[in-house]
Amino acid sequence: MYGGETASGRAGEKAGEAGGSWRDNTYPGVACDVASRFYCYSFALSAAWQYRFAPGHEVRQYLLDTAATFRLQGHIRTHSEVVEGRWQQGRWRLRLADGGLDDVDVLVAATGVLRVPHTPDFKGQDRFRGPVFHSAAWDHDAALTDARIAVIGNGSSGVQITTALAGRTEHLHLFQRTPQWIFPVPNRKVSPPSGR
């Protein structure tokens, strides 16, 4: 997303709608690891969370609802991937993937650290016949039940995926460079707010 006073008067978003990581990450078990009631904008507090730690689709909906409440959709130009930014004559000149240009006074890089999935090149991978995919590009058509699955990495996504798949697969292997301490986090359903 880029922001500031633009020729179009709108911020840019490379996808078809806002939502970022919560739109793009749909792997099993995706959830916010911050308690839901604290994962809100101060100007748009929500009591509608269903779980203590909101699943990804719930956070995504909160973001979309907040954008709608504050009528932001008309200020976001979707399908506008910025491929280059140059500081020229006191302004940023942005080149878009579709060839378009835009000039802005302020450039905010809100691309996210993990926006481009990195899949290592493994020796012998060309002979592997099963599906290979990154958590940020989850293949929902892959048959996981009764499969032998390897998850590489034990960051938040790796922990959430292995927790969600445990008991649903024939074998589940987690490959990690450095083990970390993990403990159960009860994710209770939140009671709806009372009429007080």
Side-chain angles (χ1 to χ4, degrees):
M1 195 161 220
Y2 61 91
E5 192 60 37
T6 71
S8 64
R10 298 184 289 175
E13 166 62 58
K14 81 173 190 174
E17 69 177 12
S21 294
W22 300 109
R23 176 197 59 237
D24 297 341
N25 286 281
T26 60
Y27 59 81
V30 64
C32 186
D33 52 8
V34 174
S36 303
R37 64 184 178 165
F38 300 120
Y39 200 78
C40 309
Y41 294 113
S42 61
F43 55 85
L45 299 176
S46 175
W49 301 109
Q50 295 179 28
Y51 289 91
R52 185 172 175 211
F53 297 97
H57 67 86
E58 206 173 306
V59 178
R60 177 177 173 252
Q61 193 58 55
Y62 165 77
L63 294 172
L64 293 175
D65 291 347
T66 301
T69 298
F70 291 93
R71 298 185 202 130
L72 298 177
Q73 297 95 327
H75 300 283
I76 300 172
R77 185 168 69 184
T78 58
H79 303 289
S80 298
E81 180 180 5
V82 176
V83 294
E84 180 182 52
R86 290 183 183 260
W87 183 251
Q88 295 178 341
Q89 300 171 348
R91 297 190 87 192
W92 286 98
R93 165 59 59 105
L94 305 179
R95 187 168 56 85
L96 308 179
D98 66 5
L101 296 172
D102 208 343
D103 293 319
V104 299
D105 295 314
V106 177
L107 176 62
V108 177
T111 56
V113 176
L114 304 175
R115 71 177 183 82
V116 179
H118 172 70
T119 304
D121 185 24
F122 294 105
K123 184 178 179 180
Q125 185 173 339
D126 57 328
R127 296 187 306 275
F128 183 70
R129 299 293 170 234
V132 176
F133 49 90
H134 191 280
S135 61
W138 194 263
D139 181 355
H140 290 278
D141 294 327
L144 304 179
T145 305
D146 300 326
R148 296 180 336 142
I149 298 175
V151 176
I152 300 170
N154 66 338
S156 294
S157 298
V159 170
Q160 290 174 348
I161 291 167
T162 53
T163 302
L165 296 182
R168 291 180 39 196
T169 64
E170 181 181 327
H171 293 285
L172 179 62
H173 302 276
L174 173 62
F175 294 90
Q176 55 190 346
R177 180 177 50 217
T178 306
Q180 58 177 313
W181 293 95
I182 299 171
F183 58 93
V185 177
N187 194 14
R188 296 183 301 273
K189 203 162 172 90
V190 176
S191 301
S194 63
R196 293 184 214 166

